[in-house]
């Protein structure tokens, strides 16, 4: 096992670099004191993790567990998590995961995002900011996350993003927020084919925000 415990920041993945683990990676108790990411900063690289755990990290500003960022026309950032646990992390937005720019997040297998907290700007579990893309398999669970005084307890999705969500209030129970305990989506989010909430298909663009509890 590889354990990173109680560092100011866990791991930074530089442009074109790759972080890969087939099991045993644990990042815990990392606390960013200068508003940088705490657990993993994917700055235009590739993160491909199986069976990893990220817990107890405080990102202060955004992305307590993982912050993934790409620069349009320069770099893309790809983050793939399979059978991972991202839990008990916190940040201003995206307590578990924050994704922005030409960055993608894909959650697969038995991955769980749970008991994370966004302290002021939404996305207790996951925050997908403008330009990002998000995909989750039906087996993934996003549960018991909290957006304090804001929206999107489980997932917050901003304008100008692409997303595939498969959520239901049974497997993804216990998320809390002002609006959209399961998911809050701003206007002009492109939901791709296969997206659904509680068995009802969610497709295309909307000129107004949408949310699901």
């Amino acid at each position: 096992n590889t354990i990173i415990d109680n560092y100011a920041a866990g791991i930074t993945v530089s442009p074109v670099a790759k972080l890969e683990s087939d099991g045993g990676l644990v990042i815990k108790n990392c606390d960013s004191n200068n508003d940088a990411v705490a657990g993993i900063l994917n700055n235009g690289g590739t993160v491909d993790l199986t069976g990893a755990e990220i817990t107890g990290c405080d990102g202060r500003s955004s992305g307590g567990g993982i912050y993934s960022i790409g620069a349009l026309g320069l770099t893309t950032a790809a983050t793939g998590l399979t059978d991972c646990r991202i839990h008990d992390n916190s940040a201003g937005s995206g307590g578990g995961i924050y994704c922005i720019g030409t960055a993608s997040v894909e959650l697969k297998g038995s991955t769980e995002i749970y008991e994370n907290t966004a302290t002021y700007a939404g996305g207790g579990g996951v925050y997908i900011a403008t330009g990002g893309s998000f995909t989750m398999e039906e087996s993934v669970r996003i549960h018991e996350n909290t957006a304090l005084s804001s929206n999107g307890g489980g997932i917050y999705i901003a304008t100008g993003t692409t997303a595939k969500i498969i959520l239901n209030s049974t497997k993804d129970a216990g998320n809390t927020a002002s609006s959209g305990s399961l998911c809050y989506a701003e206007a002009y989010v492109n939901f791709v084919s296969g997206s659904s909430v509680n068995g009802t298909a969610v497709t295309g663009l909307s000129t107004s925000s949408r949310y699901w509890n």
Side-chain angles (χ1 to χ4, degrees), residues 20 82-83 98 136 171 177 198 213:
E20 187 172 15
T82 304
D83 304 333
Y98 186 93
M136 64 179 290
K171 78 175 178 71
N198 290 326
N213 295 311

Side-chain angles (χ1 to χ4, degrees), residues 77-93:
T79 299
L81 305 178
T82 304
D83 304 333
C84 293
R85 293 187 297 152
I86 312 297
H87 65 98
D88 294 284
N89 304 288
S90 63
S93 56

Side-chain angles (χ1 to χ4, degrees), residues 1-5 10-11 13 19-28 39-40 47-55 66 81 83-86:
N1 290 1
T2 300
I3 299 176
I4 297 173
D5 187 2
I11 297 174
V13 182
L19 171 64
E20 187 172 15
S21 174
D22 292 328
L25 175 63
V26 178
I27 300 174
K28 61 181 182 177
I40 294 176
V47 173
D48 187 3
L49 304 180
T50 299
E53 179 181 15
I54 302 174
T55 183
I66 297 173
L81 305 178
D83 304 333
C84 293
R85 293 187 297 152
I86 312 297

Side-chain angles (χ1 to χ4, degrees), residues 19-157:
L19 171 64
E20 187 172 15
S21 174
D22 292 328
L25 175 63
V26 178
I27 300 174
K28 61 181 182 177
N29 303 325
C30 294
D31 187 347
S32 167
N33 293 314
N34 60 352
D35 288 339
V37 68
I40 294 176
L41 169 59
N42 183 3
N43 186 16
T46 299
V47 173
D48 187 3
L49 304 180
T50 299
E53 179 181 15
I54 302 174
T55 183
C57 296
D58 184 355
R60 303 298 176 95
S61 178
S62 301
I66 297 173
Y67 187 110
S68 186
I69 181 171
L72 184 63
L74 297 175
T75 60
T76 58
T79 299
L81 305 178
T82 304
D83 304 333
C84 293
R85 293 187 297 152
I86 312 297
H87 65 98
D88 294 284
N89 304 288
S90 63
S93 56
I97 300 171
Y98 186 93
C99 171
I100 189 170
T102 53
S104 64
V105 171
E106 183 177 9
L107 306 182
K108 299 177 284 186
S110 61
T111 292
E112 292 188 61
I113 313 295
Y114 63 98
E115 296 181 358
N116 302 286
T117 301
T119 56
Y120 59 81
V126 179
Y127 192 113
I128 308 300
T130 299
S133 66
F134 175 77
T135 302
M136 64 179 290
E137 294 182 347
E138 187 173 5
S139 55
V140 169
R141 296 187 64 205
I142 299 176
H143 60 100
E144 298 173 280
N145 301 286
T146 301
L148 296 174
S149 304
S150 191
N151 301 327
I155 306 174
Y156 190 104
I157 310 174

Side-chain angles (χ1 to χ4, degrees), residues 130-204:
T130 299
S133 66
F134 175 77
T135 302
M136 64 179 290
E137 294 182 347
E138 187 173 5
S139 55
V140 169
R141 296 187 64 205
I142 299 176
H143 60 100
E144 298 173 280
N145 301 286
T146 301
L148 296 174
S149 304
S150 191
N151 301 327
I155 306 174
Y156 190 104
I157 310 174
T159 297
T161 56
T162 299
K164 180 180 180 180
I165 58 172
I166 307 174
L167 297 167
N168 70 64
S169 54
T170 299
K171 78 175 178 71
D172 303 304
N175 297 296
T176 59
S178 298
S179 294
S181 56
L182 270 176
C183 179
Y184 186 95
E186 296 179 357
Y188 301 104
V189 172
N190 180 27
F191 286 104
V192 302
S193 177
S195 294
S196 67
V197 177
N198 290 326
T200 300
V202 178
T203 57

